[in-house]
Amino acid sequence: QVQLVESGGGLVQAGWSLRLSCAASGIIFSIYHMGWYRQAPGKQRELVATITSGGSTNYADSVKGRFTVARDNAKNTVYLQMNTLRPEDTAVYYCHAVRNAGPVVQEYWGQGTQVTVSS
């Protein structure tokens, strides 16, 4: 059974930092591309950051320079370090795992963790 379990969310003030973690089980973590997405109330889910199985990273323009995604394959965990948080970063943050297995795309989502940034 595949599980992606996020942790580290919470309520912080603007300008503070948080680090989210996503622990994966039931998959060969090292071969999956990992990502963080977020969904604010009334808005569509949007990409925040991704990290490929090879370690290449990509960020949404809104978080570049403030957020850093990293992975530890030995711990089957992907992280999102969020600095200089803003009220507009308030959302539920979801962990995502994906890989192309021939004609099939295998992907999984975590249950989400709430991040609330007060002004």
Side-chain angles (χ1 to χ4, degrees), residues 6-78:
E6 301 100 334
S7 61
L11 171 63
V12 297
Q13 293 183 352
W16 288 20
S17 298
L18 279 175
R19 188 177 81 156
L20 305 183
S21 300
C22 170
S25 60
I27 59 172
I28 303 174
F29 179 79
S30 62
I31 66 173
Y32 277 76
H33 307 309
M34 301 300 296
W36 288 96
Y37 290 72
R38 67 186 181 187
Q39 187 166 19
K43 295 188 176 181
Q44 290 189 332
R45 191 173 297 190
E46 64 176 2
L47 181 147
V48 176
T50 61
I51 183 166
T52 69
S53 58
S56 297
T57 58
N58 181 55
Y59 298 92
D61 288 343
S62 60
V63 306
K64 281 181 182 176
R66 300 188 298 124
F67 291 11
T68 302
V69 61
R71 64 190 298 159
D72 185 337
N73 289 340
K75 296 183 178 179
N76 289 356
T77 300
V78 61

Side-chain angles (χ1 to χ4, degrees), residues 85-103:
L85 282 161
R86 304 168 179 169
E88 54 264 38
D89 294 319
T90 295
V92 177
Y93 283 71
Y94 296 91
C95 179
H96 180 247
V98 63
R99 79 175 186 108
N100 291 319

